[in-house]
Amino acid sequence: MSGGFALGREISPAEQPACLDALERAIRARTDLRPRVGLVLGSGLGGPADALDLEVAIPFGELPGWPPATAPGHAGRLLFGRLSGVPAVVQQGRFHLYEGHAAGFVAQPVLLMGRLGAEIIVLTNAAGGVNPNYRAGALMVIADHLNLAGRHPLIGPNAPDLGPRFPDMTGVWDAELRRRLHEAAAVEGIHLEEGVYACLTGPSYETPAEVRMLRGLGVDAVGMSTALEAIAAHWAGTRVCGVSLVTNPAAGLSGAQLSHAEVLVAAEAAGPQLARVIARFVADL
Ligand code: HPA
């Protein structure tokens, strides 16, 4: 355990400001870059990090209360630099519930990005395609989400200076930013779907029956991340948008078995397209 990190210990909203103070101090000792945009990269989605004009890379383990990332395909660093000329912070590797992390901890990086100055958070993930029309490699703008993780990052005493006790979620996925994502993709000649993302805890992939249930609930893509970060960032007043990279038809839709190795291969194959969309989106902010 590094820096007092305790796996799975719940972090209430009221505890976040002190955590963010310590994180901000540690980061300000290394860079005074003030990001306008924060980017969270999903499994195998390294492209936007490569496109970053890097100033400083801080391994998670060097930040107070943060552990080194463990999931394969997740590098575990916070990158500071310029993306398309815009000051940006990039979370290369995220914290997942399935690793044993608490919901409040999963959401802490996006709160940190807001604290450092980011006005916009872009969340990315690898996801299974529940919509039968999605092929592997499809990119989906997240229009809305279902938090089916049974966990929530805002449980416990609130921090009213950060956000309200009962935050509205009507506009969590910012309509204007979604429009801009589509515009950026059109400029790049890339097609974007738009749909509903469901977050489950994992780490198992879904059963075919679960996928049929999700489709019945109006879900288009399913994964193990993103929703908690979106909730927390929106709560704290940061604008949120996101894109899922569909790496595979969800369980039961193709007859094939799912493997993380194949998810990473598919993410790496389609990742450059997502990186282009994001670079253009940021350039036009
Ligand atoms: N289900 C959940 N998460 C995923 C999937 C999936 O099929 N593919 C990539 N991440």
Side-chain angles (χ1 to χ4, degrees):
M1 298 287 159
S2 61
F5 175 71
L7 182 68
R9 191 184 70 77
E10 283 302 336
I11 301 176
S12 70
E15 290 172 275
Q16 295 283 11
C19 299
L20 297 175
D21 287 347
L23 287 160
E24 187 179 20
R25 269 197 302 277
I27 287 163
R28 286 297 169 231
R30 314 246 317 234
T31 176
D32 55 13
L33 185 129
R34 190 173 165 80
R36 267 190 72 203
V37 55
L39 210 63
V40 180
L41 300 183
S43 302
L45 300 177
D50 298 337
L52 190 75
D53 188 2
L54 184 68
E55 195 172 290
V56 192
I58 307 180
F60 292 162
E62 294 177 15
L63 290 171
W66 284 23
T70 57
H74 289 260
R77 299 187 305 172
L78 212 50
L79 311 178
F80 293 84
R82 284 173 187 274
L83 190 61
S84 310
V86 175
V89 53
V90 178
Q91 185 186 356
Q92 196 182 36
R94 54 152 57 93
F95 304 128
H96 298 91
L97 291 172
Y98 63 72
E99 294 170 274
H101 292 304
F105 187 70
V106 168
Q108 196 169 77
V110 294
L111 296 177
L112 174 62
M113 291 175 181
R115 166 68 78 94
L116 295 173
E119 300 144 23
I120 291 171
I121 303 278
V122 184
L123 301 169
T124 67
N125 59 55
V130 176
N131 184 323
N133 299 323
Y134 290 0
R135 33 166 199 85
L139 297 174
M140 185 194 86
V141 174
I142 302 175
D144 206 346
H145 72 247
L146 295 186
N147 175 15
L148 299 179
R151 312 272 284 279
H152 199 286
L154 304 180
I155 288 176
N158 195 32
D161 289 347
L162 268 181
R165 172 76 296 185
F166 300 111
D168 173 70
M169 287 292 141
T170 317
V172 54
W173 297 98
D174 190 290
E176 152 87 2
L177 297 182
R178 273 151 54 199
R179 189 177 59 69
R180 285 169 173 263
L181 280 167
H182 284 290
E183 281 173 5
V187 170
E188 293 294 326
I190 292 167
H191 176 72
L192 295 184
E193 309 283 353
E194 180 155 325
V196 174
Y197 175 87
C199 164
L200 280 66
T201 62
S204 61
Y205 292 112
E206 301 69 39
T207 63
E210 286 166 343
V211 171
R212 287 193 298 276
M213 173 193 75
L214 293 170
R215 190 63 193 142
L217 294 175
V219 170
D220 296 292
V222 59
M224 309 174 190
S225 67
T226 302
L228 306 188
E229 293 144 322
I231 291 167
H234 185 59
W235 165 72
T238 312
R239 298 173 73 188
V240 178
C241 63
V243 182
S244 292
L245 192 165
V246 174
T247 53
N248 55 279
L253 293 183
S254 76
Q257 301 212 353
L258 305 186
S259 82
H260 188 58
E262 284 168 36
V263 164
L264 291 182
V265 167
E268 269 151 33
Q273 294 211 321
L274 178 56
R276 274 169 53 206
V277 173
I278 290 176
R280 169 65 53 190
F281 168 81
V282 171
D284 294 345
L285 276 178

